[in-house]
Amino acid sequence: VGTELAAVCDAQGDAVHVLSSTGLRWTHKSSDGLLCYCARMSSGDYLAVTEQKIGYKASVCVYDKSGTLIFRFDSHDNYLSDAVVTPDGKHLVVIALGEDNGAFASRVIVYDLVTAQRTGEYSLPDALSLDLCVTDERVLLLCDKRLAILSLEGDTCLNYAYNERYLHDYTLTGEDFCALLLGRYQSGNVCQLTTFSLDGEKLAALE
């Protein structure tokens, strides 16, 4: 959901419909009936669609609020699981799945939408991406074993490991903060709530 627009995938998974308060605005249809992996509408109403494409491991399309295609990236060497445009519409953040020194890894790749150049990259070994949130300056990546906060240039602000604790809940969209609820057991209510600033500073913890 953006400021004026919202995006929904159809039941077959091969189309993304963009709606406003007055109804359907436009539709993105994947080629050859292939699947859309993910569709994210930014707060600036830019739509990023991650999808299958014949001859490639994945593809990302970016549309502005009028439905005009402004950027496309076809990946030969990496599987792409997620993508989102920053609120100011200047950068695209893509999550690629691969390996790092023989271990599974999630890679964060940042593109400048004006120059279409890659401007930042960071690899998180032994981490499966679960959710993603971006600001104009930060990338917040929730993984199965850690939470990472990165700059758009790929610098690390936070790489917080769960250390064998289980992820019970979280938020990445607080006003200048994010939060994790971690527990020692997979079930039960013995948990710790920890909040972090977007610069990676630990703000508070409560059991």
Side-chain angles (χ1 to χ4, degrees):
V1 177
T3 302
E4 299 178 1
L5 302 175
V8 294
C9 294
D10 70 2
Q12 293 182 335
D14 62 350
V16 179
H17 305 289
V18 176
L19 307 109
S20 69
S21 59
T22 58
L24 180 66
R25 292 281 296 272
W26 50 274
T27 296
H28 165 86
K29 186 78 172 177
S30 64
S31 59
D32 302 307
L34 298 177
L35 293 178
C36 298
Y37 295 132
C38 182
R40 285 188 183 265
M41 183 72 72
S42 75
S43 60
D45 292 326
Y46 287 83
L47 176 67
V49 180
T50 310
E51 61 185 2
Q52 293 177 316
K53 187 175 182 180
I54 292 176
Y56 300 91
K57 291 190 173 180
S59 179
V60 175
C61 301
V62 176
Y63 297 89
D64 65 15
K65 63 174 60 178
S66 69
T68 301
L69 180 66
I70 61 171
F71 181 85
R72 184 174 194 120
F73 168 62
D74 299 324
S75 176
H76 297 271
D77 52 358
N78 289 298
Y79 291 101
L80 309 178
S81 65
D82 207 345
V84 65
V85 178
T86 54
D88 60 11
K90 294 180 178 179
H91 295 89
L92 173 70
V93 178
V94 179
I95 304 302
L97 305 178
E99 64 176 11
D100 187 344
N101 295 323
F104 181 83
S106 292
R107 290 172 53 222
V108 179
I109 307 171
V110 181
Y111 291 91
D112 187 311
L113 289 178
V114 176
T115 64
Q117 298 298 312
R118 184 180 297 193
T119 58
E121 184 171 343
Y122 185 84
S123 181
L124 283 170
D126 194 25
L128 174 63
S129 171
L130 301 177
D131 200 1
L132 171 68
C133 181
V134 299
T135 70
D136 291 339
E137 298 179 350
R138 294 287 184 264
V139 178
L140 288 77
L141 184 64
L142 182 84
C143 298
D144 59 336
K145 297 179 180 179
R146 65 189 65 247
L147 170 68
I149 301 178
L150 312 169
S151 72
L152 291 180
E153 293 75 30
D155 298 321
T156 306
C157 301
L158 177 71
N159 188 353
Y160 184 80
Y162 304 157
N163 294 327
E164 306 300 327
R165 292 174 295 174
Y166 294 95
L167 178 66
H168 285 252
D169 206 350
Y170 69 95
T171 182
L172 303 180
T173 57
E175 186 173 350
D176 297 326
F177 77 94
C178 58
L180 291 176
L181 185 66
L182 301 174
R184 288 176 291 174
Y185 307 104
Q186 195 165 6
S187 61
N189 57 5
V190 182
C191 297
Q192 183 180 64
L193 175 66
T194 307
T195 56
F196 302 92
S197 74
L198 300 190
D199 290 326
E201 178 186 357
K202 184 177 179 179
L203 299 176
L206 176 67
E207 286 199 18

